[in-house]
Amino acid sequence: MGQDHGFPGVVGHARVTAMLSRAIERQRLHHGLVFSGPRGIGKATLARGLACALTCDVAPARGCGECDSCRRMLSGRHTDLRRLEGQGKSRMIAAGPAREVALRAQHAPFEARAHVIIIDPADRMHPKASAAMLKSIEEPSPGVHWALLATNLHDILDTILSRCMTIPLERLSLADTRAVVSAELARAPSAAPVDDERLELVVSLADGSPGVALELLRDPSLEPTRELLAATLRALELGPPAVFSGDRSPLWAAWRTAVLATPDPNEAAVTDEGEDEVIVVKAKKKPKKKKKAKKKKAESKETPARQRATAGRLAELWLLHLRELLLGREGLRNMPALSRDDALARHMQHIQQFQSNLARNPNVRLSFEQLLLSLGA
């Protein structure tokens, strides 16, 4: 995979890397940078590439990616690269590690001419962690650079934002997204092979986020949800009898299969919290059995959260299919054809309304039935 710019490992974001490279050459780079944008678009990769550009002697202001300094920066083993990450499912950054990083920054750089501190995610810092960082960012040591990664700028302390330069990052193109995902797959030859059709599907669904595309490749619910879409379109052709023909009908059998293939985020969170409490108080053997029993029970249950996640993914696949048809392409594989071309735009409007109603409607299945009735009218 070739590069269209100098920052090692970075795909896309050419405008941003060119701007940063010029600033380094002119010694005008702001010491505090906030890279903001959707998750999975390469903010962390850009920060590591920036570290290479700041410290590489072979290709100053760009980074060669091959010298010892660049290789250690890219692998996270350089003494002048510090990464402060959130912990646990909340990815919250605690005050203790933040104070440690702030103290270490007072004595940096250690071997290179620059020291780079990456905070990820910067929008998940505990208020005490933000307070611990503020003075170091406000009064940086010479050669110390801060790279804060965030998806939501509103959750970063205003006093920190005011002392940094915010750089918004755009989503990648389809070609760049595909290139990043293909490169990641090539680095894991032991993984199961991915066919071209599934690769194109996840790249299209990811909307310019390679990280999201890689998550979708590992998502066990993707194929069952695609089967649910096919069953849904067939039910629309048959009319209300197919929608209200009972749980054993093809439509609702496909619905249940897709829902059960989707992890329930709420139950997963409760199980983990319960496990943490039990491990501290009781012996380890019994809680493990209890955890397995809870997990098995949860996997066989249609929870509202699981239904909502399935409905959301179904809507995404459905809209993707309709967009492809509107562009004159084939759409998703093995999908029944719509009887009239003028129905495409109307279907998209109803499905988008269904998406916006999902968060507010507690009865997901009822909302889905209403969608099917409105589309069949």
Short mmCIF file of all heavy atoms in Angstrom, two decimals, residues 88-145:
data_model
loop_
_atom_site.label_atom_id
_atom_site.label_comp_id
_atom_site.label_asym_id
_atom_site.label_seq_id
_atom_site.Cartn_x
_atom_site.Cartn_y
_atom_site.Cartn_z
N GLY A 88 -11.09 0.22 31.05
CA GLY A 88 -12.41 -0.35 31.24
C GLY A 88 -13.34 -0.04 30.08
O GLY A 88 -12.95 0.54 29.06
N LYS A 89 -14.60 -0.45 30.24
CA LYS A 89 -15.58 -0.25 29.17
C LYS A 89 -15.91 1.22 28.96
O LYS A 89 -16.22 1.64 27.86
CB LYS A 89 -16.85 -1.03 29.49
CG LYS A 89 -16.65 -2.53 29.40
CD LYS A 89 -17.96 -3.25 29.48
CE LYS A 89 -17.73 -4.75 29.26
NZ LYS A 89 -18.98 -5.51 29.28
N SER A 90 -15.81 2.01 30.00
CA SER A 90 -16.09 3.43 29.85
C SER A 90 -14.94 4.18 29.21
O SER A 90 -15.10 5.30 28.75
CB SER A 90 -16.38 4.05 31.22
OG SER A 90 -15.21 4.04 32.02
N ARG A 91 -13.74 3.56 29.20
CA ARG A 91 -12.51 4.17 28.66
C ARG A 91 -12.20 5.49 29.36
O ARG A 91 -11.62 6.42 28.78
CB ARG A 91 -12.61 4.38 27.15
CG ARG A 91 -12.79 3.11 26.35
CD ARG A 91 -12.45 3.34 24.90
NE ARG A 91 -11.03 3.61 24.74
CZ ARG A 91 -10.51 4.19 23.66
NH1 ARG A 91 -11.28 4.60 22.69
NH2 ARG A 91 -9.21 4.40 23.57
N MET A 92 -12.54 5.58 30.63
CA MET A 92 -12.28 6.79 31.39
C MET A 92 -10.80 6.88 31.76
O MET A 92 -10.20 5.89 32.18
CB MET A 92 -13.13 6.79 32.67
CG MET A 92 -12.96 8.02 33.53
SD MET A 92 -13.60 9.52 32.75
CE MET A 92 -15.37 9.23 32.84
N ILE A 93 -10.23 8.06 31.62
CA ILE A 93 -8.84 8.30 32.01
C ILE A 93 -8.83 8.84 33.43
O ILE A 93 -9.42 9.89 33.72
CB ILE A 93 -8.16 9.29 31.05
CG1 ILE A 93 -8.06 8.67 29.66
CG2 ILE A 93 -6.78 9.69 31.56
CD1 ILE A 93 -7.48 9.60 28.61
N ALA A 94 -8.18 8.11 34.33
CA ALA A 94 -8.19 8.46 35.75
C ALA A 94 -7.13 9.52 36.07
O ALA A 94 -6.22 9.78 35.28
CB ALA A 94 -7.98 7.21 36.59
N ALA A 95 -7.26 10.07 37.27
CA ALA A 95 -6.36 11.15 37.68
C ALA A 95 -4.94 10.66 37.91
O ALA A 95 -3.97 11.35 37.58
CB ALA A 95 -6.90 11.82 38.94
N GLY A 96 -4.78 9.44 38.49
CA GLY A 96 -3.45 8.93 38.81
C GLY A 96 -2.54 8.83 37.61
O GLY A 96 -1.43 9.43 37.60
N PRO A 97 -2.92 8.11 36.57
CA PRO A 97 -2.08 8.06 35.37
C PRO A 97 -1.85 9.42 34.73
O PRO A 97 -0.77 9.68 34.18
CB PRO A 97 -2.87 7.13 34.43
CG PRO A 97 -3.73 6.31 35.34
CD PRO A 97 -4.07 7.20 36.48
N ALA A 98 -2.84 10.31 34.81
CA ALA A 98 -2.68 11.64 34.23
C ALA A 98 -1.59 12.42 34.97
O ALA A 98 -0.77 13.10 34.35
CB ALA A 98 -4.00 12.39 34.29
N ARG A 99 -1.59 12.32 36.29
CA ARG A 99 -0.54 13.01 37.07
C ARG A 99 0.84 12.46 36.74
O ARG A 99 1.82 13.20 36.65
CB ARG A 99 -0.83 12.86 38.57
CG ARG A 99 -2.07 13.58 39.06
CD ARG A 99 -2.13 13.63 40.57
NE ARG A 99 -3.41 14.09 41.05
CZ ARG A 99 -4.39 13.29 41.47
NH1 ARG A 99 -4.20 11.97 41.46
NH2 ARG A 99 -5.54 13.78 41.87
N GLU A 100 0.92 11.15 36.57
CA GLU A 100 2.21 10.51 36.23
C GLU A 100 2.74 11.01 34.89
O GLU A 100 3.93 11.32 34.76
CB GLU A 100 2.02 8.99 36.19
CG GLU A 100 3.30 8.23 35.86
CD GLU A 100 3.07 6.75 35.70
OE1 GLU A 100 2.00 6.26 36.15
OE2 GLU A 100 3.93 6.07 35.12
N VAL A 101 1.85 11.11 33.90
CA VAL A 101 2.26 11.61 32.59
C VAL A 101 2.68 13.07 32.67
O VAL A 101 3.68 13.47 32.06
CB VAL A 101 1.10 11.42 31.57
CG1 VAL A 101 1.39 12.19 30.29
CG2 VAL A 101 0.91 9.95 31.27
N ALA A 102 1.92 13.87 33.42
CA ALA A 102 2.26 15.29 33.56
C ALA A 102 3.62 15.47 34.23
O ALA A 102 4.42 16.33 33.83
CB ALA A 102 1.17 16.00 34.37
N LEU A 103 3.92 14.64 35.22
CA LEU A 103 5.22 14.71 35.90
C LEU A 103 6.34 14.30 34.96
O LEU A 103 7.40 14.95 34.91
CB LEU A 103 5.20 13.81 37.14
CG LEU A 103 6.49 13.75 37.96
CD1 LEU A 103 6.82 15.13 38.53
CD2 LEU A 103 6.36 12.73 39.10
N ARG A 104 6.12 13.24 34.19
CA ARG A 104 7.13 12.76 33.25
C ARG A 104 7.41 13.80 32.17
O ARG A 104 8.55 13.95 31.72
CB ARG A 104 6.65 11.45 32.63
CG ARG A 104 7.64 10.77 31.70
CD ARG A 104 7.04 9.48 31.15
NE ARG A 104 7.89 8.85 30.17
CZ ARG A 104 8.86 7.99 30.43
NH1 ARG A 104 9.12 7.66 31.69
NH2 ARG A 104 9.59 7.47 29.47
N ALA A 105 6.38 14.54 31.77
CA ALA A 105 6.54 15.54 30.71
C ALA A 105 7.47 16.67 31.13
O ALA A 105 8.06 17.33 30.27
CB ALA A 105 5.18 16.10 30.33
N GLN A 106 7.62 16.89 32.43
CA GLN A 106 8.49 17.96 32.91
C GLN A 106 9.96 17.69 32.59
O GLN A 106 10.77 18.61 32.51
CB GLN A 106 8.32 18.15 34.42
CG GLN A 106 6.93 18.62 34.83
CD GLN A 106 6.78 18.70 36.34
OE1 GLN A 106 7.75 18.54 37.09
NE2 GLN A 106 5.56 18.95 36.80
N HIS A 107 10.32 16.40 32.43
CA HIS A 107 11.72 16.03 32.22
C HIS A 107 12.01 15.58 30.79
O HIS A 107 13.12 15.18 30.48
CB HIS A 107 12.10 14.90 33.18
CG HIS A 107 11.77 15.20 34.60
ND1 HIS A 107 12.50 16.09 35.37
CD2 HIS A 107 10.76 14.75 35.40
CE1 HIS A 107 11.97 16.17 36.59
NE2 HIS A 107 10.92 15.37 36.64
N ALA A 108 11.00 15.62 29.93
CA ALA A 108 11.16 15.18 28.54
C ALA A 108 11.67 16.36 27.69
O ALA A 108 11.56 17.52 28.10
CB ALA A 108 9.83 14.67 28.02
N PRO A 109 12.22 16.08 26.47
CA PRO A 109 12.48 14.79 25.84
C PRO A 109 13.64 14.05 26.50
O PRO A 109 14.47 14.67 27.18
CB PRO A 109 12.81 15.14 24.40
CG PRO A 109 12.36 16.57 24.22
CD PRO A 109 12.48 17.21 25.56
N PHE A 110 13.73 12.73 26.21
CA PHE A 110 14.73 11.90 26.85
C PHE A 110 15.87 11.52 25.90
O PHE A 110 17.03 11.53 26.30
CB PHE A 110 14.08 10.65 27.42
CG PHE A 110 13.04 10.95 28.46
CD1 PHE A 110 11.69 10.88 28.17
CD2 PHE A 110 13.42 11.34 29.73
CE1 PHE A 110 10.73 11.17 29.13
CE2 PHE A 110 12.47 11.64 30.70
CZ PHE A 110 11.12 11.56 30.40
N GLU A 111 15.57 11.18 24.66
CA GLU A 111 16.64 10.85 23.71
C GLU A 111 16.45 11.52 22.36
O GLU A 111 17.43 11.75 21.66
CB GLU A 111 16.72 9.34 23.50
CG GLU A 111 15.45 8.69 22.96
CD GLU A 111 15.67 7.22 22.66
OE1 GLU A 111 16.46 6.91 21.74
OE2 GLU A 111 15.06 6.37 23.33
N ALA A 112 15.22 11.82 21.98
CA ALA A 112 14.98 12.48 20.69
C ALA A 112 14.86 13.98 20.91
O ALA A 112 14.94 14.48 22.03
CB ALA A 112 13.70 11.93 20.06
N ARG A 113 14.66 14.71 19.81
CA ARG A 113 14.54 16.16 19.94
C ARG A 113 13.11 16.58 20.29
O ARG A 113 12.84 17.76 20.51
CB ARG A 113 14.98 16.86 18.66
CG ARG A 113 14.23 16.46 17.41
CD ARG A 113 14.67 17.29 16.21
NE ARG A 113 14.11 16.76 14.97
CZ ARG A 113 14.72 15.87 14.21
NH1 ARG A 113 15.91 15.40 14.58
NH2 ARG A 113 14.17 15.43 13.09
N ALA A 114 12.19 15.61 20.30
CA ALA A 114 10.80 15.91 20.65
C ALA A 114 10.22 14.75 21.45
O ALA A 114 10.66 13.61 21.32
CB ALA A 114 9.97 16.16 19.39
N HIS A 115 9.25 15.07 22.28
CA HIS A 115 8.55 14.08 23.09
C HIS A 115 7.06 14.25 22.81
O HIS A 115 6.52 15.36 22.90
CB HIS A 115 8.84 14.31 24.57
CG HIS A 115 8.21 13.31 25.49
ND1 HIS A 115 8.78 12.08 25.74
CD2 HIS A 115 7.06 13.34 26.21
CE1 HIS A 115 8.01 11.41 26.59
NE2 HIS A 115 6.95 12.16 26.88
N VAL A 116 6.38 13.16 22.46
CA VAL A 116 4.98 13.22 22.06
C VAL A 116 4.13 12.45 23.06
O VAL A 116 4.43 11.29 23.39
CB VAL A 116 4.77 12.65 20.65
CG1 VAL A 116 3.29 12.71 20.26
CG2 VAL A 116 5.61 13.43 19.64
N ILE A 117 3.08 13.10 23.55
CA ILE A 117 2.15 12.48 24.49
C ILE A 117 0.79 12.39 23.80
O ILE A 117 0.22 13.41 23.40
CB ILE A 117 2.03 13.30 25.79
CG1 ILE A 117 3.41 13.41 26.47
CG2 ILE A 117 1.01 12.65 26.74
CD1 ILE A 117 3.46 14.44 27.57
N ILE A 118 0.28 11.17 23.67
CA ILE A 118 -1.01 10.94 23.02
C ILE A 118 -2.04 10.62 24.09
O ILE A 118 -1.84 9.69 24.89
CB ILE A 118 -0.93 9.78 22.00
CG1 ILE A 118 0.14 10.08 20.94
CG2 ILE A 118 -2.28 9.54 21.35
CD1 ILE A 118 0.39 8.92 20.00
N ILE A 119 -3.12 11.36 24.13
CA ILE A 119 -4.21 11.12 25.09
C ILE A 119 -5.41 10.60 24.30
O ILE A 119 -5.97 11.29 23.45
CB ILE A 119 -4.59 12.40 25.85
CG1 ILE A 119 -3.36 12.97 26.56
CG2 ILE A 119 -5.70 12.11 26.85
CD1 ILE A 119 -3.63 14.26 27.30
N ASP A 120 -5.80 9.37 24.60
CA ASP A 120 -6.85 8.71 23.83
C ASP A 120 -7.75 7.87 24.74
O ASP A 120 -7.29 6.88 25.31
CB ASP A 120 -6.20 7.81 22.76
CG ASP A 120 -7.21 7.12 21.87
OD1 ASP A 120 -8.38 7.57 21.83
OD2 ASP A 120 -6.83 6.15 21.20
N PRO A 121 -9.03 8.25 24.91
CA PRO A 121 -9.71 9.39 24.30
C PRO A 121 -9.66 10.61 25.22
O PRO A 121 -9.94 10.50 26.42
CB PRO A 121 -11.13 8.88 24.13
CG PRO A 121 -11.32 7.92 25.27
CD PRO A 121 -9.98 7.31 25.55
N ALA A 122 -9.36 11.74 24.65
CA ALA A 122 -9.27 12.97 25.44
C ALA A 122 -10.63 13.44 25.93
O ALA A 122 -10.71 14.22 26.89
CB ALA A 122 -8.60 14.06 24.62
N ASP A 123 -11.70 12.98 25.28
CA ASP A 123 -13.04 13.37 25.72
C ASP A 123 -13.59 12.42 26.78
O ASP A 123 -14.78 12.48 27.11
CB ASP A 123 -14.00 13.46 24.54
CG ASP A 123 -13.95 12.23 23.64
OD1 ASP A 123 -13.14 11.32 23.94
OD2 ASP A 123 -14.69 12.17 22.65
N ARG A 124 -12.73 11.55 27.34
CA ARG A 124 -13.14 10.67 28.43
C ARG A 124 -12.21 10.85 29.63
O ARG A 124 -11.97 9.91 30.39
CB ARG A 124 -13.12 9.20 27.98
CG ARG A 124 -14.13 8.86 26.89
CD ARG A 124 -15.55 9.05 27.36
NE ARG A 124 -15.87 8.19 28.49
CZ ARG A 124 -16.85 8.41 29.35
NH1 ARG A 124 -17.61 9.49 29.23
NH2 ARG A 124 -17.08 7.57 30.33
N MET A 125 -11.70 12.05 29.82
CA MET A 125 -10.85 12.33 30.98
C MET A 125 -11.71 12.69 32.18
O MET A 125 -12.63 13.51 32.08
CB MET A 125 -9.87 13.47 30.68
CG MET A 125 -8.68 13.06 29.83
SD MET A 125 -7.35 14.29 29.87
CE MET A 125 -8.06 15.60 28.89
N HIS A 126 -11.38 12.09 33.32
CA HIS A 126 -12.02 12.48 34.58
C HIS A 126 -11.66 13.94 34.86
O HIS A 126 -10.56 14.40 34.50
CB HIS A 126 -11.52 11.58 35.70
CG HIS A 126 -12.26 11.74 36.99
ND1 HIS A 126 -11.98 12.74 37.88
CD2 HIS A 126 -13.28 11.02 37.53
CE1 HIS A 126 -12.79 12.64 38.93
NE2 HIS A 126 -13.60 11.60 38.73
N PRO A 127 -12.57 14.70 35.46
CA PRO A 127 -12.26 16.11 35.75
C PRO A 127 -10.94 16.29 36.49
O PRO A 127 -10.20 17.26 36.22
CB PRO A 127 -13.44 16.56 36.61
CG PRO A 127 -14.58 15.70 36.15
CD PRO A 127 -13.96 14.37 35.81
N LYS A 128 -10.62 15.40 37.41
CA LYS A 128 -9.34 15.51 38.13
C LYS A 128 -8.17 15.23 37.20
O LYS A 128 -7.08 15.80 37.37
CB LYS A 128 -9.33 14.57 39.33
CG LYS A 128 -10.29 14.97 40.44
CD LYS A 128 -10.16 14.05 41.64
CE LYS A 128 -11.09 14.50 42.77
NZ LYS A 128 -10.99 13.60 43.96
N ALA A 129 -8.36 14.34 36.23
CA ALA A 129 -7.30 14.07 35.25
C ALA A 129 -7.08 15.30 34.37
O ALA A 129 -5.93 15.66 34.08
CB ALA A 129 -7.68 12.86 34.40
N SER A 130 -8.16 15.95 33.97
CA SER A 130 -8.04 17.17 33.17
C SER A 130 -7.31 18.25 33.95
O SER A 130 -6.45 18.96 33.41
CB SER A 130 -9.43 17.67 32.76
OG SER A 130 -10.09 16.74 31.95
N ALA A 131 -7.64 18.36 35.24
CA ALA A 131 -6.98 19.36 36.08
C ALA A 131 -5.49 19.07 36.21
O ALA A 131 -4.66 19.99 36.21
CB ALA A 131 -7.65 19.40 37.45
N ALA A 132 -5.14 17.78 36.30
CA ALA A 132 -3.74 17.40 36.43
C ALA A 132 -2.96 17.70 35.15
O ALA A 132 -1.76 17.99 35.19
CB ALA A 132 -3.63 15.91 36.76
N MET A 133 -3.63 17.66 34.01
CA MET A 133 -2.98 17.90 32.73
C MET A 133 -2.87 19.39 32.39
O MET A 133 -1.99 19.80 31.64
CB MET A 133 -3.80 17.23 31.60
CG MET A 133 -3.76 15.74 31.61
SD MET A 133 -2.15 15.16 31.06
CE MET A 133 -2.45 13.41 31.08
N LEU A 134 -3.77 20.18 32.91
CA LEU A 134 -3.93 21.56 32.45
C LEU A 134 -2.65 22.37 32.51
O LEU A 134 -2.26 23.00 31.52
CB LEU A 134 -5.03 22.25 33.27
CG LEU A 134 -5.32 23.70 32.89
CD1 LEU A 134 -5.73 23.78 31.43
CD2 LEU A 134 -6.41 24.27 33.80
N LYS A 135 -1.95 22.34 33.62
CA LYS A 135 -0.75 23.18 33.75
C LYS A 135 0.34 22.74 32.79
O LYS A 135 1.04 23.58 32.20
CB LYS A 135 -0.24 23.12 35.19
CG LYS A 135 0.93 24.08 35.43
CD LYS A 135 1.34 24.12 36.88
CE LYS A 135 2.49 25.10 37.08
NZ LYS A 135 2.93 25.15 38.50
N SER A 136 0.49 21.41 32.59
CA SER A 136 1.52 20.92 31.68
C SER A 136 1.22 21.32 30.24
O SER A 136 2.15 21.61 29.47
CB SER A 136 1.62 19.39 31.78
OG SER A 136 2.02 19.00 33.08
N ILE A 137 -0.06 21.33 29.88
CA ILE A 137 -0.41 21.75 28.52
C ILE A 137 -0.32 23.27 28.39
O ILE A 137 0.07 23.80 27.35
CB ILE A 137 -1.84 21.26 28.17
CG1 ILE A 137 -1.87 19.72 28.16
CG2 ILE A 137 -2.29 21.82 26.84
CD1 ILE A 137 -3.24 19.14 27.92
N GLU A 138 -0.64 23.96 29.46
CA GLU A 138 -0.61 25.42 29.44
C GLU A 138 0.82 25.94 29.40
O GLU A 138 1.13 26.93 28.71
CB GLU A 138 -1.32 25.97 30.68
CG GLU A 138 -1.47 27.46 30.72
CD GLU A 138 -2.23 27.90 31.96
OE1 GLU A 138 -2.20 27.18 32.97
OE2 GLU A 138 -2.85 28.98 31.90
N GLU A 139 1.73 25.29 30.13
CA GLU A 139 3.13 25.71 30.19
C GLU A 139 4.01 24.53 29.80
O GLU A 139 4.66 23.90 30.65
CB GLU A 139 3.48 26.20 31.59
CG GLU A 139 2.60 27.35 32.07
CD GLU A 139 2.87 27.70 33.53
OE1 GLU A 139 3.79 27.07 34.12
OE2 GLU A 139 2.18 28.58 34.06
N PRO A 140 4.06 24.17 28.51
CA PRO A 140 4.79 22.97 28.08
C PRO A 140 6.31 23.14 28.17
O PRO A 140 6.84 24.25 28.00
CB PRO A 140 4.36 22.82 26.62
CG PRO A 140 4.09 24.22 26.18
CD PRO A 140 3.49 24.91 27.38
N SER A 141 6.98 22.05 28.45
CA SER A 141 8.44 22.05 28.39
C SER A 141 8.87 22.11 26.93
O SER A 141 8.14 21.64 26.05
CB SER A 141 8.99 20.78 29.05
OG SER A 141 8.57 20.68 30.39
N PRO A 142 10.04 22.66 26.65
CA PRO A 142 10.51 22.73 25.25
C PRO A 142 10.59 21.32 24.65
O PRO A 142 11.12 20.40 25.26
CB PRO A 142 11.90 23.37 25.38
CG PRO A 142 11.85 24.13 26.66
CD PRO A 142 10.97 23.33 27.57
N GLY A 143 10.06 21.18 23.44
CA GLY A 143 10.13 19.90 22.75
C GLY A 143 9.01 18.93 23.09
O GLY A 143 8.94 17.85 22.49
N VAL A 144 8.12 19.28 24.00
CA VAL A 144 7.02 18.39 24.38
C VAL A 144 5.77 18.76 23.58
O VAL A 144 5.38 19.93 23.53
CB VAL A 144 6.73 18.47 25.90
CG1 VAL A 144 5.48 17.65 26.25
CG2 VAL A 144 7.93 17.98 26.69
N HIS A 145 5.19 17.75 22.97
CA HIS A 145 3.99 17.96 22.14
C HIS A 145 2.87 17.05 22.63
O HIS A 145 3.09 15.88 22.94
CB HIS A 145 4.30 17.65 20.67
CG HIS A 145 5.31 18.56 20.06
ND1 HIS A 145 4.98 19.71 19.39
CD2 HIS A 145 6.67 18.50 20.07
CE1 HIS A 145 6.08 20.32 18.98
NE2 HIS A 145 7.13 19.61 19.38
#
